Amino acid sequence: MARDHEHVPVLHGPALDALRIRADGVYVDGTYGRGGHSAAMLARLGEEGRLVVTDRDPQAIADARAKYAEDGRVTIRRANFAEIGAIIDELGLTGRVDGLLLDVGVSSPQLDDPQRGFSFQHDGPLDMRMDPESGESVADWLARAAESDIARVIKEYGEERFGKRIARAIVKAREEAPIERTAQLAAIVSEAVPGPPSPRHPATRTFQALRIFINDELGALEEALDDGIDLLAPGGRFVVISFHSLEDRLVKRRFAKAAKPPPASRRLPAVETFVPRLKLIGGMVQASEEEIADNPRARSARMRVAEKTAGEAT
């Protein structure tokens, strides 16, 4: 019998093991979701431990407050994880965090709720905002965006080779009627993508691209990766779970930049000393076949782990 995806996050066990939680440590769950990771982290913390949880989704924060408002170990902040540096600094915990976890991308509760508009499998309003109370919905953006901008977004963030064809079809369709529903967009994309039927829905990459763009997910991840190192105490672990190649490449490069000296170049002055700020812990971790069988969404999950060193980069 499949487990409840809402309560059992992808790579749950490996992520918790990678964090090496101490009973008296300070930990941050930057992507609360529905609290699967947070609950497990708290179960390993003692009375002296501390957990900071953030999420930009008001439904996620409501869930966190319902569960942990009375737990003195837990601090809850509604915020984009790009703001994690400012939050931890405000709490006076910069340089004292023993573990930071980011499980990036859309959560199962968001994906499964048709009213949030993330999925082409359920008809609903074409929204896709992580925080539905701020910013612009996908429907509003598609109504005003130039064809060239739509094509660029679909190609850049969805790695979709038919981006221009899809953008052209979207612009043509919106001239006849506003594109306001997920089913509308999925049908437009399906008709625009050529070729025989595929196991992957033709709208998969387009929906991914629009979601990433409208939420500035890569920009937020860049900020969190840059600030996250400063938050950690020496020996603290930085654990990031991502779900597609754009995110994973960004994590891999940021971790490597802080862990390895830059390649030598005859055109640049030699760097006399390089003191790594991170140590890479293992390679990319993926879900086991057992987990994938239990939760097919785990198939694309990738986890990377790094540890803060005692030194500072020069």
Side-chain angles (χ1 to χ4, degrees):
M1 180 177 178
R3 293 173 294 182
D4 186 341
H5 299 159
E6 185 172 315
H7 299 290
V8 184
V10 170
L11 290 170
H12 182 67
L16 269 292
D17 291 343
L19 286 167
R20 297 188 311 180
I21 293 174
R22 301 196 331 265
D24 61 347
V26 177
Y27 298 88
V28 178
D29 183 353
T31 46
Y32 176 83
R34 287 301 181 272
H37 285 128
S38 288
M41 293 160 80
L42 279 168
R44 301 187 186 192
L45 288 177
E47 293 184 2
E48 300 302 315
R50 188 163 183 182
L51 176 66
V52 179
V53 302
T54 71
D55 204 295
R56 69 166 88 176
D57 189 327
Q59 293 180 6
I61 291 301
D63 184 270
R65 288 174 177 156
K67 291 175 180 175
Y68 303 120
E70 304 302 319
D71 192 328
R73 300 171 299 169
V74 183
T75 300
I76 302 167
R77 291 286 188 273
R78 179 179 169 185
N80 187 326
F81 59 66
E83 304 169 64
I84 198 72
I87 292 169
I88 297 303
D89 194 53
E90 172 200 331
L91 296 172
L93 296 173
T94 299
R96 296 171 53 195
V97 173
D98 297 298
L100 170 57
L101 172 66
L102 298 178
D103 184 354
V104 300
V106 66
S107 69
S108 288
Q110 291 168 332
L111 198 61
D112 292 337
D113 182 355
Q115 295 305 307
R116 301 299 298 273
F118 285 102
S119 177
F120 48 78
Q121 295 179 329
H122 311 286
D123 185 36
L126 187 57
D127 195 316
M128 297 199 205
R129 288 173 294 173
M130 299 287 190
D131 179 356
E133 297 175 5
S134 66
E136 186 176 33
S137 71
V138 168
D140 288 343
W141 184 76
L142 286 179
R144 66 169 182 81
E147 181 179 320
S148 59
D149 288 335
I150 297 172
R152 177 185 59 80
V153 165
I154 294 172
K155 180 179 179 181
E156 183 176 338
Y157 296 113
E159 300 178 300
E160 171 60 77
R161 62 192 178 112
F162 299 113
K164 289 184 178 180
R165 184 190 293 256
I166 293 168
R168 191 179 311 121
I170 288 171
V171 170
K172 181 179 179 181
R174 78 185 182 191
E175 292 174 353
E176 300 177 7
I179 304 171
E180 298 177 338
R181 308 285 298 183
T182 56
Q184 279 179 278
L185 180 60
I188 292 165
V189 176
S190 296
E191 188 172 339
V193 173
S198 167
R200 178 189 287 232
H201 193 287
T204 300
R205 294 182 184 276
T206 297
F207 270 66
Q208 170 190 296
L210 293 170
R211 189 204 82 221
I212 291 171
F213 168 75
I214 214 70
N215 292 290
D216 189 24
E217 292 180 36
L218 295 183
L221 180 56
E222 285 188 56
E223 289 192 48
L225 290 170
D226 289 342
D227 292 344
I229 300 172
D230 293 331
L231 308 182
L232 293 171
R237 291 284 180 91
F238 201 158
V239 179
V240 184
I241 300 171
S242 60
F243 289 85
H244 59 77
S245 58
L246 293 175
E247 295 168 338
D248 183 59
R249 282 198 297 267
L250 187 54
V251 176
K252 180 180 179 181
R253 289 169 181 169
R254 282 295 197 278
F255 278 2
K257 182 178 179 181
K260 300 176 182 178
S265 171
R266 289 180 293 179
R267 298 183 179 182
L268 298 175
V271 178
E272 294 184 3
T273 59
F274 173 82
V275 180
R277 303 185 70 201
L278 290 178
K279 176 175 69 173
L280 304 181
I281 305 298
M284 182 180 70
V285 177
Q286 294 181 283
S288 66
E289 289 301 319
E290 180 182 4
E291 181 175 0
I292 292 169
D294 192 38
N295 179 6
R297 291 177 185 168
R299 184 176 302 279
S300 58
R302 301 151 175 155
M303 184 179 80
R304 294 189 185 273
V305 183
E307 181 179 301
K308 179 76 173 286
T309 67
E312 287 296 326
T314 58

